[in-house]
Each structure stands twice: as structure tokens, then as C-alpha cells.
Amino acid sequence: NVDAGACRLTAIREFIDAHHNSDLRIEALASLAGLSRAHLTRAFTRSFGVAPHGYLNAVRLRHAQQALLRGQPIAEAAVACGFVDQSHFTRRFKGAFGVPPGAWLAQMRDANI
């Protein structure tokens, strides 16, 4: 059933949103969805335009940006949002936004002057 499949995928996306700061593994997500890892990855990508891991990173980065704007230190924001450490967070952040978190935050502060 197409609707049941879409509901399962939406539930996985909502689970990722709610648990982005946890150590989420594709095996656990696939089990929750009742699908194989490969099937979940293909179906999620087809439905949302990004693989589950890419979506998870995007959610974590969005939450980290919000934390930084609230004044949370970079290292604390990184761990609070589910990244292993600050260097992992910085690599992902720079890959997504082209600048490291500190430079991004400085740009955001300058833009709000």
C-alpha cells in the first residue's frame, strides 16, 4: 500500500527529527520501519530527496545553528546536537555552509548590526 509506505517513511523522518541528538543507526531506523537497510535508504531518498543519514546531518546542523545563535559555545552545541565532537561538527558545518561555525556566527552577528 502506497499510503502505508509513505506513512512509515514520514514516521522515520519524524523519529529522526525527535531523536537527532541520539546515536541513530540505519539498522535501527530500518527495523522501526520494518524494511531492510537498503530498502529504507532507497525509499527515503526517493521520497525526501536525501538519504536518511544526510537528512539526519541537516537536522543536526539546523539545531546547531539555532544553539549557536542562542549563545551556546561551539563544542557544547556540537555534542548537544548529536555530533561526536567539535571537529566532526566543524567538518560537517563547513561542508554544508562553506565556512566553519565560528566564521558563520561572526557573519550572522555582523548581519544583525
Side-chain angles (χ1 to χ4, degrees):
N1 185 334
V2 173
D3 290 336
C7 286
R8 276 196 269 181
L9 293 174
T10 298
I12 293 300
R13 186 178 63 184
E14 290 170 355
F15 186 87
I16 292 170
D17 288 336
H19 299 91
H20 68 275
N21 56 347
S22 300
D23 182 20
L24 296 179
R25 304 226 178 250
I26 191 68
E27 295 84 3
L29 296 174
S31 179
L32 282 172
L35 301 170
S36 71
R37 294 178 333 164
H39 190 161
L40 173 62
T41 300
R42 282 192 307 270
F44 195 97
T45 302
R46 189 170 43 252
S47 292
F48 303 118
V50 63
H53 186 72
Y55 182 77
L56 172 61
N57 278 325
V59 170
R60 286 176 172 170
L61 289 169
R62 185 176 70 242
H63 282 276
Q65 284 178 309
Q66 294 166 354
L68 293 173
L69 290 172
R70 288 191 308 269
Q72 192 168 23
I74 294 171
E76 289 178 22
V79 173
C81 293
F83 292 97
V84 175
D85 56 29
Q86 184 175 341
S87 66
H88 178 236
F89 167 59
T90 298
R91 282 192 309 276
R92 296 284 185 212
F93 196 99
K94 189 172 180 183
F97 304 114
V99 294
W104 175 85
L105 189 56
Q107 290 173 356
M108 296 305 291
R109 288 182 180 142
D110 290 346
N112 289 325
I113 292 177

